[in-house]
Amino acid sequence: MDKNMANRMCCDLDIRDYYTKAPVMRVDFCNTTTYGFNSDAVFANRKGAKAIKFESPLEGNIDITFQVHPFKVYSLLNGGQVLTDALLVRRENITASVDGKLTLQHSPIMGSVFVYTEDDFTGQEIQGSVAGNTFTSQTTSDIKSGQIYTVGYLEKKKDGVKRIAFNNRNYSSVYYIQMITTNKDEDGNDVGMRLIAYKCCPKRELEIQFSSDDSPAEITMSFECFQDENENVMDIVKIEDSDSEEVEDIWINFATGTLETYSPTYYIQNGYLLQNEVKEDGY
């Protein structure tokens, strides 16, 4: 008997590379997940009335919204590339230790250093030159020992940063996605559900609203879903075998040569796969 079911559980997304099926990301932090498809029809008319229907190809969509999230999630929009350098603006108030010189806290990009008196930032610039992270004024008397100066410059930081670039040189990848959730039937039993999208591309659109007096920032990402080489578009799967266990994903990242996992059962430490301690109460 096919029992009635209902759902009140946001989906987790298991995102795989479309071509290799290698795991890309486990998205388990969404507040809402939307799964759907549409197919507009066109009609041939006879004396102004619809007579013959022609179906258009099926088009699917997945939308996810979240507030709490890892930084890496943005890399879904640029093909998964996360860089380890960034261009940062710096603004420092520096007290001169000797006449005619200032020592900057970071190494600036040549040509980006602008020096002003403390209360005149963006006003009258103090001319000079830079060697390493030391600014030397053109006129020694312009920098007086013991006085404070405001310096603005750019730094090319190459450690301790991660950068996800959005430009016209990189594009989002193609993904295979399974959305995982649990329904509840009329007898109170949990019923595993999978919503499958065979071939998906993230829409290259992003809007983040930052507010100091409203709700935390909420982000929406959307995927367009279309048919694969076998003409599959989307499936909905009901898992009737309640005794079947979820397969925990553990894989090798061939770019780094290391093990990786998003399994709650295991973790990676110093290149070794270790199992999390399970207490007697199961937690």
Side-chain angles (χ1 to χ4, degrees):
M1 179 179 177
D2 192 8
K3 297 180 181 179
N4 293 326
M5 302 179 297
N7 181 278
R8 199 185 180 191
M9 178 182 291
C10 187
C11 295
D12 292 342
L13 274 68
D14 188 316
I15 302 177
R16 307 287 176 116
D17 180 83
Y18 171 73
Y19 300 102
T20 67
K21 299 303 183 286
V24 173
M25 190 176 300
R26 178 82 168 193
V27 177
D28 57 0
F29 44 80
C30 293
N31 294 325
T32 62
T33 49
T34 304
Y35 171 97
F37 56 83
N38 64 78
S39 175
D40 295 330
V42 294
F43 295 85
N45 295 342
R46 181 173 180 266
K47 292 186 176 182
K50 295 178 179 178
I52 301 175
K53 180 181 179 182
F54 295 90
E55 293 285 358
S56 298
L58 197 68
E59 297 178 354
N61 66 278
I62 293 174
D63 298 319
I64 61 175
T65 61
F66 49 86
Q67 292 173 308
V68 177
H69 60 283
F71 179 69
K72 184 183 177 182
V73 73
Y74 298 109
S75 69
L76 290 172
L77 301 177
N78 82 337
Q81 186 179 38
V82 180
L83 305 173
T84 56
D85 66 326
L87 191 65
L88 304 182
V89 296
R90 297 293 189 183
R91 182 180 182 274
E92 299 172 353
N93 290 325
I94 302 174
T95 301
S97 57
V98 296
D99 291 344
K101 294 182 182 295
L102 294 172
T103 300
L104 311 182
Q105 294 181 24
H106 307 278
S107 299
I109 292 177
M110 297 303 295
S112 72
V113 178
F114 295 86
V115 179
Y116 308 89
T117 56
E118 182 183 13
D119 299 324
D120 193 32
F121 187 62
T122 74
Q124 182 61 45
E125 180 188 353
I126 298 174
Q127 300 294 325
S129 60
V130 178
N133 63 339
T134 300
F135 173 82
T136 302
S137 60
Q138 195 173 71
T139 304
T140 302
S141 59
D142 286 344
I143 302 291
K144 294 182 172 59
S145 178
Q147 292 192 6
I148 299 174
Y149 298 85
T150 302
V151 184
Y153 59 93
L154 300 178
E155 177 201 4
K156 184 72 170 181
K157 188 170 176 60
K158 296 183 178 180
D159 62 321
V161 294
K162 292 182 179 180
R163 174 169 63 94
I164 296 173
F166 306 109
N167 52 53
N168 293 319
R169 299 186 304 274
N170 55 29
Y171 300 96
S172 55
S173 296
V174 184
Y175 301 113
Y176 169 89
I177 297 177
Q178 286 201 12
M179 301 171 66
I180 304 166
T181 187
T182 302
N183 287 359
K184 188 178 291 292
D185 67 20
E186 289 181 309
D187 293 334
N189 299 315
D190 289 339
V191 181
M193 300 294 296
R194 297 291 180 100
L195 299 93
I196 301 172
Y198 284 87
K199 193 174 185 179
C200 305
C201 282
K203 292 183 180 179
R204 298 191 75 201
E205 56 186 25
L206 178 66
E207 180 177 314
I208 309 174
Q209 182 178 5
F210 299 92
S211 174
S212 298
D213 59 358
D214 205 345
S215 299
E218 184 174 74
I219 299 160
T220 298
M221 287 187 180
S222 300
F223 299 80
E224 296 178 298
C225 308
F226 43 96
Q227 72 177 22
D228 65 6
E229 67 273 15
N230 297 316
E231 299 185 349
N232 297 310
V233 180
M234 306 180 91
D235 290 343
I236 297 180
V237 178
K238 174 187 175 184
I239 302 176
E240 296 182 336
D241 182 3
S242 59
D243 293 330
S244 62
E245 296 183 357
E246 289 291 326
V247 177
E248 303 293 355
D249 278 299
I250 304 164
W251 67 93
I252 297 175
N253 184 332
F254 289 100
T256 61
T258 59
L259 283 171
E260 294 186 4
T261 181
Y262 51 60
S263 165
T265 307
Y266 302 98
Y267 65 98
I268 308 297
Q269 181 175 320
N270 298 326
Y272 292 95
L273 179 67
L274 304 175
Q275 186 171 0
N276 286 309
E277 180 182 358
V278 179
K279 299 180 181 178
E280 292 183 359
D281 59 4
Y283 296 96

